[in-house]
């Protein structure tokens, strides 16, 4: 498909790979092309890309937790996560005009701008969401049903992760502070810094 499709059209197809984070899927492809062609991306476009990459990443984690909580019949918590997904989905749709395939990132930049007031609204939304999620996590960590189905279940070791080249949340669940964003040129150029959360037990609870 890629050999017979224009860059712009192919980006739309790649976005559909990522259900909750289409920008992240598209960026893997676009960054490779931009690096090969030595295309410089404007700082503002880099910042907008990062905003949508991060909201997409948050949405993916929220969706993963929603699915797990639904499987455990923990409806009270699941509904809270579902509300967060809807809120962030509304933000993305308002900016791009679409809920799933945004067509936001394009070769050399982005397809739409992000106003200051929208950034302010997003910051307030995420701040409130963070407070509520921390409270939710504390309740979950004392929930008998949740602990019964996550503690000491499907455990992996740090040695397993290193030997098999495991990354992401599974690697971080065994104490490996690995996050590809730390090496991303856009994050480095804009001075985006963050802590990498890790646990040690390597079980479902840690992940």
């Amino acid at each position: 498909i890629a050999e017979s499709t224009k860059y712009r059209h192919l980006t739309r197809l790649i976005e559909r790979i990522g259900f909750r984070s289409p920008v992240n899927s598209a960026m893997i492809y676009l960054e490779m092309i931009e690096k090969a062609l030595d295309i410089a991306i404007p700082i503002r476009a880099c910042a907008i890309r990062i905003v949508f990459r991060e909201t997409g990443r948050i949405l993916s984690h929220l969706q993963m937790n929603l699915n797990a909580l639904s499987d455990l019949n923990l409806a009270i918590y699941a509904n809270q996560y579902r509300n967060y997904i809807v809120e962030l989905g509304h933000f993305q749709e308002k900016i791009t005009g679409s809920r799933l395939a945004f067509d936001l990132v394009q070769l050399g930049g982005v397809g739409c701008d992000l106003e200051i007031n929208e950034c302010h609204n997003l910051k307030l939304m995420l701040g409130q969401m963070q407070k509520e999620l921390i409270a939710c996590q504390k309740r979950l960590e004392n929930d008998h049903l949740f602990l019964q189905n996550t503690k000491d279940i499907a455990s992996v070791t740090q040695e397993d992760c290193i030997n098999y080249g495991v990354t992401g949340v599974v690697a971080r669940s065994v104490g490996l502070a690995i996050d590809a964003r730390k090496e991303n040129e856009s994050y480095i150029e804009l001075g985006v810094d963050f802590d990498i959360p890790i646990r040690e037990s390597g079980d479902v609870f840690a992940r």
Side-chain angles (χ1 to χ4, degrees):
I1 297 175
E3 293 176 354
S4 60
T5 306
K6 294 181 179 180
Y7 289 134
R8 179 175 173 79
H9 297 155
L10 187 60
T11 303
R12 294 175 182 173
L13 296 177
I14 295 174
E15 278 192 342
R16 295 174 185 173
I17 297 173
F19 171 52
R20 287 297 181 189
S21 56
V23 169
N24 286 319
S25 299
M27 283 307 305
I28 295 171
Y29 165 72
L30 286 176
E31 285 182 341
M32 176 183 65
I33 300 297
E34 289 165 352
K35 188 171 184 178
L37 298 178
D38 196 24
I39 298 174
I41 314 302
I43 292 295
R44 189 179 182 91
C46 285
I48 294 172
R49 285 179 171 189
I50 288 176
V51 169
F52 275 82
R53 292 180 80 161
E54 289 304 298
T55 53
R57 183 184 62 83
I58 294 169
L59 274 169
S60 292
H61 283 287
L62 289 172
Q63 186 68 54
M64 178 187 70
N65 284 300
L66 170 61
N67 295 343
L69 293 169
S70 298
D71 288 343
L72 295 175
N73 291 320
L74 294 169
I76 296 176
Y77 304 107
N79 288 334
Q80 193 168 0
Y81 277 80
R82 188 176 292 107
N83 291 336
Y84 298 144
I85 290 172
V86 171
E87 286 183 40
L88 272 178
H90 283 326
F91 165 77
Q92 293 180 328
E93 185 176 17
K94 183 176 181 181
I95 303 302
T96 65
S98 177
R99 180 61 64 92
L100 296 178
F102 302 145
D103 195 25
L104 171 78
V105 288
Q106 299 173 9
L107 192 64
V110 291
C112 63
D113 201 2
L114 187 59
E115 300 296 335
I116 292 296
N117 65 312
E118 295 298 343
C119 293
H120 178 69
N121 292 338
L122 177 63
K123 184 178 180 180
L124 292 177
M125 182 199 307
L126 292 177
Q128 183 62 31
M129 190 180 296
Q130 182 182 31
K131 293 177 184 178
E132 294 175 3
L133 280 172
I134 290 173
C136 180
Q137 179 180 328
K138 289 179 179 178
R139 293 197 302 273
L140 267 175
E141 290 179 350
N142 291 292
D143 188 286
H144 174 71
L145 181 60
F146 179 74
L147 294 176
Q148 186 179 42
N149 286 276
T150 59
K151 273 286 189 180
D152 301 320
I153 304 294
S155 298
V156 294
T157 66
Q158 191 173 108
E159 184 180 3
D160 292 332
C161 290
I162 294 172
N163 290 339
Y164 289 102
V166 175
T167 59
V169 68
V170 179
R172 291 190 286 274
S173 74
V174 295
L176 296 173
I178 298 174
D179 194 314
R181 293 173 297 166
K182 288 286 187 180
E183 308 299 326
N184 187 281
E185 292 179 4
S186 295
Y187 283 79
I188 295 171
E189 185 177 359
L190 288 171
V192 179
D193 193 21
F194 53 90
D195 296 326
I196 301 177
I198 59 172
R199 287 185 181 266
E200 303 290 340
S201 58
D203 54 9
V204 174
F205 178 84
R207 296 194 286 275

